[in-house]
Tab-separated table of all heavy atoms in Angstrom:
chain	number	residue	atom	x	y	z
A	1	CYS	N	0.804	-1.295	0.079
A	1	CYS	CA	-0.019	-0.046	0.007
A	1	CYS	C	0.805	1.250	-0.007
A	1	CYS	O	0.514	2.289	-0.619
A	1	CYS	CB	-0.954	-0.047	1.157
A	1	CYS	SG	-2.305	-1.122	1.111
A	2	GLU	N	2.032	1.214	0.633
A	2	GLU	CA	2.933	2.372	0.685
A	2	GLU	C	3.609	2.593	-0.712
A	2	GLU	O	3.840	3.754	-1.038
A	2	GLU	CB	3.953	2.197	1.805
A	2	GLU	CG	3.347	2.365	3.110
A	2	GLU	CD	4.449	2.269	4.218
A	2	GLU	OE1	5.688	1.761	4.007
A	2	GLU	OE2	4.191	2.600	5.404
A	3	ARG	N	3.728	1.578	-1.479
A	3	ARG	CA	4.318	1.653	-2.738
A	3	ARG	C	3.363	2.002	-3.902
A	3	ARG	O	3.650	2.510	-4.890
A	3	ARG	CB	5.102	0.407	-3.119
A	3	ARG	CG	6.276	0.233	-2.184
A	3	ARG	CD	7.063	-1.264	-2.566
A	3	ARG	NE	8.227	-1.345	-1.674
A	3	ARG	CZ	8.963	-2.405	-1.700
A	3	ARG	NH1	8.613	-3.442	-2.497
A	3	ARG	NH2	9.962	-2.559	-0.954
A	4	ALA	N	2.132	1.557	-3.731
A	4	ALA	CA	1.102	1.738	-4.819
A	4	ALA	C	0.687	3.189	-5.057
A	4	ALA	O	0.395	4.062	-4.085
A	4	ALA	CB	-0.051	0.976	-4.516
A	5	LYS	N	0.751	3.663	-6.291
A	5	LYS	CA	0.335	5.057	-6.566
A	5	LYS	C	-1.061	5.421	-6.228
A	5	LYS	O	-1.288	6.627	-5.813
A	5	LYS	CB	0.601	5.315	-8.114
A	5	LYS	CG	2.085	5.251	-8.522
A	5	LYS	CD	2.144	5.571	-9.944
A	5	LYS	CE	3.661	5.566	-10.349
A	5	LYS	NZ	3.914	5.858	-11.867
A	6	GLN	N	-2.024	4.462	-6.309
A	6	GLN	CA	-3.378	4.852	-6.058
A	6	GLN	C	-3.799	4.644	-4.568
A	6	GLN	O	-4.978	4.680	-4.243
A	6	GLN	CB	-4.288	3.949	-6.958
A	6	GLN	CG	-4.232	2.536	-6.851
A	6	GLN	CD	-3.215	1.846	-7.644
A	6	GLN	OE1	-2.120	2.251	-7.630
A	6	GLN	NE2	-3.733	0.811	-8.386
A	7	ALA	N	-2.750	4.267	-3.698
A	7	ALA	CA	-3.088	4.044	-2.295
A	7	ALA	C	-2.481	5.040	-1.332
A	7	ALA	O	-1.501	5.613	-1.661
A	7	ALA	CB	-2.715	2.548	-1.958
A	8	VAL	N	-2.944	5.042	-0.080
A	8	VAL	CA	-2.347	5.853	0.936
A	8	VAL	C	-2.228	4.898	2.146
A	8	VAL	O	-3.120	4.026	2.360
A	8	VAL	CB	-3.065	7.064	1.368
A	8	VAL	CG1	-3.068	8.093	0.146
A	8	VAL	CG2	-4.492	6.757	1.696
A	9	ALA	N	-1.180	5.085	3.009
A	9	ALA	CA	-1.082	4.230	4.206
A	9	ALA	C	-1.109	5.260	5.320
A	9	ALA	O	-0.317	6.219	5.390
A	9	ALA	CB	0.232	3.504	4.071
A	10	ILE	N	-1.944	5.061	6.265
A	10	ILE	CA	-2.181	5.944	7.373
A	10	ILE	C	-1.830	5.207	8.638
A	10	ILE	O	-2.596	4.370	9.117
A	10	ILE	CB	-3.626	6.452	7.471
A	10	ILE	CG1	-3.948	7.293	6.077
A	10	ILE	CG2	-3.800	7.416	8.606
A	10	ILE	CD1	-5.497	7.713	5.958
A	11	ALA	N	-0.765	5.562	9.330
A	11	ALA	CA	-0.284	4.902	10.531
A	11	ALA	C	-0.915	5.675	11.785
A	11	ALA	O	-1.079	6.939	11.737
A	11	ALA	CB	1.077	4.953	10.713
A	12	CYS	N	-1.380	4.884	12.693
A	12	CYS	CA	-2.069	5.476	13.984
A	12	CYS	C	-1.349	5.110	15.189
A	12	CYS	O	-1.379	3.948	15.606
A	12	CYS	CB	-3.483	4.968	13.922
A	12	CYS	SG	-4.505	5.368	12.568
A	13	TYR	N	-0.555	5.948	15.739
A	13	TYR	CA	0.262	5.684	16.798
A	13	TYR	C	-0.357	6.387	18.173
A	13	TYR	O	-1.175	7.310	17.981
A	13	TYR	CB	1.650	6.197	16.688
A	13	TYR	CG	2.374	5.481	15.569
A	13	TYR	CD1	2.660	6.211	14.289
A	13	TYR	CD2	2.804	4.145	15.648
A	13	TYR	CE1	3.319	5.530	13.278
A	13	TYR	CE2	3.432	3.480	14.599
A	13	TYR	CZ	3.666	4.191	13.449
A	13	TYR	OH	4.263	3.564	12.425
A	14	PRO	N	-0.136	5.867	19.366
A	14	PRO	CA	-0.675	6.524	20.549
A	14	PRO	C	-0.437	7.949	20.649
A	14	PRO	O	0.592	8.550	20.143
A	14	PRO	CB	0.154	5.779	21.715
A	14	PRO	CG	0.554	4.504	21.131
A	14	PRO	CD	0.748	4.774	19.655
A	15	ASP	N	-1.391	8.672	21.228
A	15	ASP	CA	-1.315	10.116	21.232
A	15	ASP	C	-0.190	10.536	22.057
A	15	ASP	O	0.178	10.013	23.101
A	15	ASP	CB	-2.535	10.571	21.879
A	15	ASP	CG	-3.851	10.494	20.952
A	15	ASP	OD1	-3.603	10.718	19.750
A	15	ASP	OD2	-4.926	10.243	21.502
A	16	THR	N	0.493	11.740	21.631
A	16	THR	CA	1.588	12.383	22.411
A	16	THR	C	0.854	13.219	23.350
A	16	THR	O	-0.386	13.485	23.426
A	16	THR	CB	2.425	13.198	21.485
A	16	THR	OG1	1.573	14.187	20.781
A	16	THR	CG2	2.985	12.310	20.318
A	17	ASP	N	1.664	13.900	24.275
A	17	ASP	CA	1.063	14.858	25.248
A	17	ASP	C	0.319	15.976	24.529
A	17	ASP	O	-0.657	16.439	24.961
A	17	ASP	CB	2.178	15.513	26.112
A	17	ASP	CG	2.722	14.383	27.153
A	17	ASP	OD1	2.047	13.361	27.325
A	17	ASP	OD2	3.722	14.711	27.850
A	18	ARG	N	0.896	16.380	23.354
A	18	ARG	CA	0.212	17.491	22.602
A	18	ARG	C	-1.106	17.080	22.082
A	18	ARG	O	-2.131	17.699	22.074
A	18	ARG	CB	1.145	17.975	21.429
A	18	ARG	CG	0.704	18.998	20.622
A	18	ARG	CD	1.560	19.382	19.506
A	18	ARG	NE	2.755	20.053	20.019
A	18	ARG	CZ	3.733	20.441	19.202
A	18	ARG	NH1	3.648	20.401	17.893
A	18	ARG	NH2	4.813	20.992	19.739
A	19	ASP	N	-1.148	15.876	21.617
A	19	ASP	CA	-2.336	15.285	21.053
A	19	ASP	C	-3.430	15.158	22.189
A	19	ASP	O	-4.616	15.446	21.919
A	19	ASP	CB	-2.104	13.832	20.465
A	19	ASP	CG	-1.200	13.806	19.218
A	19	ASP	OD1	-1.301	14.903	18.454
A	19	ASP	OD2	-0.474	12.857	19.016
A	20	LEU	N	-3.024	14.730	23.302
A	20	LEU	CA	-3.930	14.537	24.387
A	20	LEU	C	-4.468	15.976	24.958
A	20	LEU	O	-5.657	15.955	25.321
A	20	LEU	CB	-3.403	13.823	25.613
A	20	LEU	CG	-3.102	12.335	25.433
A	20	LEU	CD1	-2.300	11.673	26.573
A	20	LEU	CD2	-4.310	11.564	25.166
A	21	THR	N	-3.552	16.860	24.876
A	21	THR	CA	-3.950	18.274	25.284
A	21	THR	C	-5.065	18.764	24.347
A	21	THR	O	-6.072	19.324	24.749
A	21	THR	CB	-2.808	19.187	25.273
A	21	THR	OG1	-1.872	18.719	26.299
A	21	THR	CG2	-3.275	20.576	25.632
A	22	ARG	N	-4.754	18.548	23.097
A	22	ARG	CA	-5.736	19.033	21.989
A	22	ARG	C	-7.081	18.356	22.105
A	22	ARG	O	-8.139	18.923	22.075
A	22	ARG	CB	-5.205	18.809	20.624
A	22	ARG	CG	-6.123	19.325	19.485
A	22	ARG	CD	-5.442	19.362	18.220
A	22	ARG	NE	-5.035	18.020	17.817
A	22	ARG	CZ	-3.766	17.720	17.703
A	22	ARG	NH1	-2.765	18.415	17.992
A	22	ARG	NH2	-3.470	16.408	17.419
A	23	LEU	N	-7.002	17.006	22.362
A	23	LEU	CA	-8.244	16.109	22.487
A	23	LEU	C	-9.065	16.536	23.700
A	23	LEU	O	-10.273	16.806	23.618
A	23	LEU	CB	-7.841	14.718	22.711
A	23	LEU	CG	-8.990	13.754	23.066
A	23	LEU	CD1	-9.980	13.573	21.931
A	23	LEU	CD2	-8.429	12.318	23.382
A	24	ILE	N	-8.379	16.805	24.881
A	24	ILE	CA	-9.074	17.201	26.145
A	24	ILE	C	-9.764	18.619	25.898
A	24	ILE	O	-10.946	18.843	26.216
A	24	ILE	CB	-8.223	17.240	27.229
A	24	ILE	CG1	-7.734	15.771	27.613
A	24	ILE	CG2	-8.873	17.941	28.429
A	24	ILE	CD1	-6.646	15.729	28.615
A	25	ASP	N	-9.015	19.528	25.318
A	25	ASP	CA	-9.524	20.913	25.210
A	25	ASP	C	-10.718	20.942	24.157
A	25	ASP	O	-11.702	21.650	24.298
A	25	ASP	CB	-8.388	21.838	24.689
A	25	ASP	CG	-7.509	22.048	25.858
A	25	ASP	OD1	-7.727	21.734	26.959
A	25	ASP	OD2	-6.317	22.620	25.570
A	26	GLU	N	-10.543	20.094	23.131
A	26	GLU	CA	-11.655	20.029	22.123
A	26	GLU	C	-12.918	19.520	22.749
A	26	GLU	O	-14.053	20.105	22.484
A	26	GLU	CB	-11.219	19.134	20.950
A	26	GLU	CG	-10.219	19.732	19.967
A	26	GLU	CD	-9.821	18.600	18.913
A	26	GLU	OE1	-10.248	17.604	18.974
A	26	GLU	OE2	-9.066	19.071	17.990
A	27	GLU	N	-12.860	18.469	23.577
A	27	GLU	CA	-14.004	17.969	24.141
A	27	GLU	C	-14.580	18.903	25.215
A	27	GLU	O	-15.826	18.941	25.309
A	27	GLU	CB	-13.689	16.600	24.788
A	27	GLU	CG	-13.374	15.431	23.764
A	27	GLU	CD	-14.599	15.153	23.057
A	27	GLU	OE1	-15.761	15.330	23.384
A	27	GLU	OE2	-14.369	14.686	21.797
A	28	MET	N	-13.807	19.564	25.914
A	28	MET	CA	-14.235	20.577	26.876
A	28	MET	C	-14.930	21.752	26.183
A	28	MET	O	-15.936	22.200	26.568
A	28	MET	CB	-13.090	21.055	27.721
A	28	MET	CG	-12.510	20.070	28.598
A	28	MET	SD	-13.737	19.302	29.799
A	28	MET	CE	-12.969	17.711	30.224
A	29	ARG	N	-14.431	22.228	25.048
A	29	ARG	CA	-15.043	23.276	24.293
A	29	ARG	C	-16.405	22.859	23.745
A	29	ARG	O	-17.331	23.554	23.826
A	29	ARG	CB	-14.171	23.763	23.203
A	29	ARG	CG	-13.006	24.701	23.565
A	29	ARG	CD	-12.445	25.352	22.343
A	29	ARG	NE	-11.977	24.436	21.381
A	29	ARG	CZ	-10.556	24.030	21.467
A	29	ARG	NH1	-9.853	24.486	22.440
A	29	ARG	NH2	-10.155	23.166	20.539
A	30	ALA	N	-16.494	21.574	23.305
A	30	ALA	CA	-17.717	21.070	22.789
A	30	ALA	C	-18.677	20.887	23.884
A	30	ALA	O	-19.937	21.074	23.581
A	30	ALA	CB	-17.453	19.719	22.099
A	31	ALA	N	-18.301	20.756	25.042
A	31	ALA	CA	-19.391	20.697	26.198
A	31	ALA	C	-19.536	22.098	26.835
A	31	ALA	O	-20.195	22.161	27.928
A	31	ALA	CB	-18.816	19.765	27.269
A	32	GLY	N	-18.944	23.157	26.393
A	32	GLY	CA	-19.054	24.415	26.965
A	32	GLY	C	-18.351	24.648	28.255
A	32	GLY	O	-18.792	25.337	29.119
A	33	LEU	N	-17.099	23.907	28.415
A	33	LEU	CA	-16.486	24.000	29.733
A	33	LEU	C	-14.875	24.365	29.384
A	33	LEU	O	-14.500	24.220	28.331
A	33	LEU	CB	-16.352	22.531	30.292
A	33	LEU	CG	-17.726	21.942	30.700
A	33	LEU	CD1	-17.643	20.509	30.988
A	33	LEU	CD2	-18.208	22.661	32.037
């Protein structure tokens, strides 16, 4: 899939501290908090 021109490969690794901060803040904003 990484070599094929018509394909994309999307790797999903555990969230970093920056990812978790963004996730928490996004959910809090969505809840009005």
Side-chain angles (χ1 to χ4, degrees):
C1 288
E2 288 182 344
R3 291 178 178 175
K5 293 182 179 180
Q6 64 267 52
V8 295
I10 301 173
C12 301
Y13 297 110
D15 288 323
T16 63
D17 286 349
R18 179 180 295 180
D19 296 326
L20 290 174
T21 297
R22 183 171 60 250
L23 172 66
I24 292 169
D25 289 345
E26 284 176 356
E27 291 296 332
M28 292 303 157
R29 281 196 299 271
L33 294 164

